[in-house]
Amino acid sequence: MGILDGLLGNASENDAQELQQELTQLLAPGEQVEKAYAIIRDQIIFTNKRLMLVDKQGVTGKKREIMSVPYRSIERFSMETTGHFDLDAELKIWIRGQAEPLSKTFRDDRSIHDICRALALYAL
């Protein structure tokens, strides 16, 4: 169900240990991947030190942009759930020093609650 959810735009939880191995060259000493979610080809990764947003680009997805956000730089975040006519849920994260929030769109409410809970755990 995780792969199908990811293809449909629903966030699916990824294996943190597998990502730990994949990201070893990017992680600081003592940094651990604790939670990770995939949205189509993109990822939201929570470590014990920062939030990482991975944007896979190009046809093959080999090219990646990785934004690293220290938790102390997250000023606020909001969640908009789906409605009767609006079928997309949206997560917005305001980062210190940026005028516009980061925005991620989800096809349903299921995982956006888990991601907001993780943001609350790490950023508050």
Side-chain angles (χ1 to χ4, degrees):
M1 180 135 144
I3 293 173
L4 183 59
D5 276 343
L7 292 173
L8 294 174
N10 306 327
S12 58
E13 193 161 0
N14 284 0
D15 182 24
Q17 294 303 321
E18 186 178 307
L19 278 172
Q20 181 77 30
Q21 295 299 319
E22 187 180 318
L23 298 172
T24 53
Q25 62 188 5
L26 298 175
L27 299 175
E31 187 173 14
Q32 297 290 318
V33 173
E34 297 189 349
K35 290 189 176 286
Y37 298 90
I39 308 165
I40 304 177
R41 297 183 338 168
D42 298 342
Q43 293 176 309
I44 299 174
I45 302 168
F46 294 91
T47 74
N48 59 334
K49 298 179 184 261
R50 60 183 159 161
L51 174 66
M52 298 173 76
L53 302 164
V54 180
D55 179 16
K56 292 186 179 179
Q57 302 170 354
V59 176
T60 62
K62 186 170 178 137
K63 182 177 179 180
R64 300 181 299 172
E65 176 187 0
I66 301 172
M67 177 182 278
S68 178
V69 181
Y71 293 123
R72 68 181 178 279
S73 295
I74 297 174
E75 292 185 337
R76 63 185 188 271
F77 55 92
S78 70
M79 171 182 72
E80 180 183 296
T81 61
T82 60
H84 290 294
F85 300 109
D86 184 7
L87 301 177
D88 291 337
E90 189 173 13
L91 173 68
K92 292 182 182 176
I93 303 171
W94 282 265
I95 298 170
R96 186 178 304 124
Q98 294 195 5
E100 295 296 316
L102 295 172
S103 182
K104 294 287 181 185
T105 302
F106 302 80
R107 296 276 187 253
D108 69 8
D109 288 343
R110 281 185 279 158
S111 293
I112 196 169
H113 292 283
D114 294 337
I115 293 171
C116 280
R117 186 177 305 117
L119 272 169
L121 176 69
Y122 295 110
L124 299 180

